[in-house]
Amino acid sequence: MGIAVLTMKASVIEMFLVLLVTGIHSNKEMTKKIKRPKFTVPQINCDVRAGKIINPEFIVKCPAGCQDPRYHVYGTDVYASYSSVCGAAVHSGVLDNSGGKILVRKVAGQSGYKGSYSNGVQSLSLPRWRESFVVSGETTKAYQSPSAPGTTAQPVPLMQALGTTAVEGTHTTLPKPPPSAGSTTSSLRPQPAGQRSQELGEPELWKPGSVLLDAGCKVDLSFLIDGSASIGKRRFRIQKQFLADVAQALDIGPAGPLMGIVQYGDNPVTQFNLKTHMNSRDVKTAIEKITQRGGLSNVGRAISFVTQNFFSKSNGNRGSAPNVAVVMVDGWPTDKVEEASRFARESGINIFFITMEGASENEKQYVLEPNFANKAVCRTNGFYSLSVQNWFSLHKTVQPLVKRVCDTDRLACSKTCLNSADIGFIIDGSSSVGTGNFRTVLQFVANLSKEFEISDTDTRIGAVQYTYEQRLEFGFDVYSTKPDVLNAIKRVGYWSGGTSTGAAINYALEQLFKKSKPNKRKLMILITDGRSYDDVRIPAMVAHHEGVITYAIGVAWAAQDELEVIATHPARDHAFFVDEFDHLYQVVPKVIQNICTEFNSQPRN
């Protein structure tokens, strides 16, 4: 009996060991069969700037040909986020002109960026910028692959991979948005930089075309809400709930977005301004207390009111944050919006439109200004317009709107040193210049013009040529695109004659700058190769008195003392001299840097 029991126990143990060995072997076979997820690197174009990609670090593939000077780069080793990602990679030596994969890491903004020539790319200097980035070619070492299926890869610190000291980034990684686009209960508060969802097993990659919410969202935001009698009490309550949801999603605060509300009907009135409430809870409480005013839907009048009154320092406008106005309209306005909106855009205000229940085909005959939304918004590219079929769908636009107003790199109407000036070039066409050198001067003018964002509401360019006499080559209002301006510069014909610089300054003030817009910075850039036959002191004083910032560029035989008289004070920042015409190109980055430094020393808006 005992022997039988022992025999059974031995058989059971033997069977268990067989099953155990078989299981381990099968598990190994299954593990071998499991394939790791493929690592897909998105390709971007040469003109994509780092600031357009919100991720704190990412891997992308650059195409060939990014060495082209059209793709501007600012800085050396550490680049301003206004730079082309791929252009910076070529400049740094990480890539050659054939393209390839790169690893990009966002770092803190710098107080200045030094330009240099490297690897066939001329980078430009730039004063302070809000964000920087560095580039590495070590895309495979920056992250470790998952050790087993279902586990999350832990990123190796990027600066360790680069062999440099870690710098704290200015962006953070965001959690995934909730499944419902209309949900407003989930917080948009970001995760700390470097943290990732436990479901992810690969490095975070930016996908071209995606709109990502900037974790450093800092905007001064005005909502123009429809209080007209036509919308009724129920819709007005829906509008208020929408505003409360937006306030909750934005996470209002002194270091982030600030929000104020203007209600319009017959006339606009400020419900509360930017400095009234400093957190989302107080903003939501204030929204609940707003009562409907009634009247018409005078949107144009409301936009004018916001431009002239709302975005002021006394109302809490910070100057360092973009100005955004979101206009909410039921149906269509009862007045015209085009001129008021143009002035708002020129004043640096980014206008968004949310149109609820727009005019049907039968109702369009009653609309005072067809395509009013396109005439009002900052740009007609679809980014600034949201159309809602009915009021009960309004809640679905909370997330899209918040992402857009926080995508500060796409807020094209914000004033910068490159989009807010009327620039008049005063060009010496005297006999001493000569035909060949005159073409070099025109190339210098074109190179400077290329750096600016040119349109009828952004920077505008004009030109005067002078000898003993003066000639207006083209005014500020003639060409409104960069290609047209560059072609016009190319067509300027050499005049030849004497050198009356004082008379040329007077002529430019009268024929060019008197037609400058009041909300534009007036910049005069004068290029001469010799001493003037007439007095320049009084004309220069008049220009300075009229608020024209004057840069004097001297070549060859130009008199240094005259350049300093013509130039705005301090002369060391506004007067430049080169000994040969072929060296004019060296002045371009210096002039751009000084224009931007001067602009950035003043409130942005």
Side-chain angles (χ1 to χ4, degrees):
M1 181 69 177
I3 295 172
V5 170
L6 289 171
T7 303
M8 286 179 65
K9 285 183 178 179
S11 299
V12 170
I13 292 170
E14 184 180 356
M15 185 179 297
F16 175 75
L17 289 173
V18 169
L19 290 172
L20 181 62
V21 171
T22 304
I24 292 171
H25 179 73
S26 300
N27 190 49
K28 286 181 178 179
E29 289 300 316
M30 288 179 67
T31 304
K32 288 180 182 178
K33 291 177 181 178
I34 294 174
K35 292 184 179 180
R36 297 186 184 278
K38 289 190 73 175
F39 187 86
T40 305
V41 177
Q43 179 161 319
I44 61 173
N45 294 327
C46 293
D47 60 353
V48 172
R49 296 171 181 166
K52 298 291 184 183
I53 305 174
I54 307 303
N55 301 45
E57 62 181 50
F58 52 90
I59 299 171
V60 289
K61 185 176 181 181
C62 293
C66 295
Q67 198 178 52
D68 194 301
R70 289 179 298 168
Y71 311 122
H72 296 158
V73 177
Y74 299 87
T76 302
D77 296 330
V78 177
Y79 302 94
S81 63
Y82 195 66
S83 305
S84 156
V85 172
C86 299
V90 176
H91 181 271
S92 66
V94 170
L95 293 182
D96 57 26
N97 202 35
S98 62
K101 297 176 185 177
I102 57 171
L103 177 64
V104 180
R105 166 76 173 179
K106 297 287 188 70
V107 297
Q110 307 289 307
S111 59
Y113 299 84
K114 186 177 180 181
S116 64
Y117 184 82
S118 178
N119 301 307
V121 176
Q122 175 67 57
S123 71
L124 300 174
S125 298
L126 193 71
R128 69 177 187 268
W129 198 253
R130 58 182 171 268
E131 182 184 64
S132 312
F133 69 99
V134 292
V135 188
S136 168
E138 299 191 30
T139 58
T140 57
K141 295 181 182 179
Y143 295 95
Q144 296 173 346
S145 298
S147 56
T151 63
T152 305
Q154 295 300 317
V156 175
L158 179 65
M159 292 306 167
Q160 178 184 333
L162 291 175
T164 59
T165 304
V167 184
E168 184 177 345
T170 57
H171 286 294
T172 54
T173 305
L174 295 173
K176 288 185 176 180
S180 170
S183 173
T184 58
T185 57
S186 298
S187 170
L188 291 181
R189 193 178 298 279
Q191 301 173 0
Q195 289 190 7
R196 308 241 302 286
S197 166
Q198 293 300 311
E199 298 173 5
L200 296 178
E202 296 295 342
E204 184 178 11
L205 297 175
W206 171 76
K207 293 179 175 57
S210 61
V211 180
L212 300 172
L213 177 58
D214 188 347
C217 178
K218 184 179 179 181
V219 292
D220 288 344
L221 178 61
S222 169
F223 274 89
L224 284 68
I225 65 170
D226 193 339
S228 61
S230 63
I231 72 171
K233 292 182 179 179
R234 186 180 184 187
R235 291 173 177 174
F236 191 74
R237 282 197 303 271
I238 294 172
Q239 185 175 215
K240 286 168 57 174
Q241 183 59 53
F242 170 78
L243 296 171
D245 292 342
V246 170
Q248 180 65 40
L250 282 171
D251 193 14
I252 304 296
L258 295 179
M259 178 174 165
I261 293 179
V262 171
Q263 183 183 172
Y264 68 87
D266 290 334
N267 295 294
V269 62
T270 301
Q271 300 292 332
F272 55 88
N273 62 35
L274 295 167
K275 68 178 183 180
T276 309
H277 304 295
M278 289 292 149
N279 59 67
S280 295
R281 184 187 64 241
D282 291 348
V283 169
K284 289 166 68 177
T285 301
I287 290 169
E288 183 59 34
K289 295 177 181 178
I290 295 175
T291 57
Q292 187 177 357
R293 294 178 59 83
L296 300 173
S297 296
N298 288 332
V299 177
R301 187 175 296 178
I303 293 172
S304 294
F305 173 83
V306 166
T307 303
Q308 296 169 22
N309 301 289
F310 187 87
F311 290 110
S312 64
K313 188 174 182 180
S314 61
N315 283 333
N317 185 37
R318 290 172 287 187
S320 59
N323 291 165
V324 178
V326 180
V327 183
M328 303 185 68
V329 184
D330 174 49
W332 57 88
T334 53
D335 65 348
K336 292 188 175 182
V337 303
E338 185 171 14
E339 286 306 312
S341 300
R342 174 187 288 271
F343 187 66
R345 293 194 300 271
E346 292 173 353
S347 299
I349 300 173
N350 296 274
I351 298 181
F352 287 77
F353 250 65
I354 302 178
T355 306
M356 283 75 67
E357 300 182 4
S360 65
E361 285 300 320
N362 293 334
E363 292 172 327
K364 286 182 178 178
Q365 58 183 314
Y366 305 116
V367 178
L368 183 64
E369 193 173 29
N371 299 318
F372 61 87
N374 279 343
K375 294 176 181 178
V377 293
C378 174
R379 296 287 187 272
T380 57
N381 57 7
F383 182 75
Y384 298 89
S385 301
L386 291 163
S387 181
V388 181
Q389 293 302 313
N390 64 75
W391 278 87
F392 301 105
S393 301
L394 181 59
H395 66 281
K396 295 180 181 179
T397 65
V398 172
Q399 296 280 353
L401 178 67
V402 167
K403 289 181 180 180
R404 294 185 195 194
V405 300
C406 284
D407 191 357
T408 53
D409 279 312
R410 293 189 66 180
L411 297 181
C413 288
S414 297
K415 282 190 175 181
T416 70
C417 57
L418 302 177
N419 72 0
S420 57
D422 280 343
I423 303 176
F425 289 96
I426 318 303
I427 305 168
D428 184 349
S430 60
S431 302
S432 58
V433 175
T435 303
N437 288 333
F438 188 76
R439 305 318 299 176
T440 304
V441 170
L442 293 183
Q443 186 59 55
F444 168 74
V445 171
N447 289 343
L448 276 173
S449 300
K450 285 176 186 176
E451 296 299 317
F452 293 90
E453 298 170 27
I454 297 172
S455 78
D456 58 344
T457 57
D458 294 312
T459 290
R460 304 187 303 168
I461 305 290
V464 167
Q465 185 182 176
Y466 74 95
T467 57
Y468 281 129
E469 300 177 283
Q470 307 84 34
R471 182 168 74 197
L472 180 65
E473 299 293 354
F474 55 90
F476 294 134
D477 57 351
V478 178
Y479 302 111
S480 59
T481 69
K482 189 176 294 187
D484 287 346
V485 167
L486 297 179
N487 285 331
I489 293 168
K490 192 183 299 183
R491 291 194 300 268
V492 172
Y494 176 48
W495 206 357
S496 187
T499 309
S500 294
T501 306
I505 294 172
N506 282 333
Y507 180 86
L509 293 175
E510 188 66 30
Q511 298 298 321
L512 203 54
F513 288 100
K514 270 203 172 176
K515 299 175 183 178
S516 182
K517 295 184 178 181
N519 52 5
K520 297 286 187 183
R521 296 170 75 229
K522 293 181 281 189
L523 302 179
M524 179 189 295
I525 301 177
L526 185 144
I527 308 104
T528 183
D529 81 326
R531 183 177 291 277
S532 177
Y533 294 165
D534 63 354
D535 180 59
V536 299
R537 293 180 182 274
I538 294 177
M541 287 175 60
V542 173
H544 302 161
H545 183 263
E546 293 185 3
V548 179
I549 301 168
T550 307
Y551 288 82
I553 317 296
V555 190
W557 304 280
Q560 185 68 37
D561 60 328
E562 258 187 12
L563 297 177
E564 293 177 359
V565 167
I566 294 168
T568 294
H569 180 79
R572 66 177 181 274
D573 295 332
H574 299 87
F576 300 90
F577 178 83
V578 293
D579 54 0
E580 295 180 16
F581 284 92
D582 288 342
H583 294 165
L584 271 172
Y585 75 92
Q586 299 173 353
V587 179
V588 173
K590 297 176 184 177
V591 173
I592 296 297
Q593 179 178 3
N594 287 9
I595 288 173
C596 287
T597 299
E598 194 165 41
F599 176 87
N600 288 332
S601 68
Q602 304 297 321
R604 183 161 110 184
N605 296 308

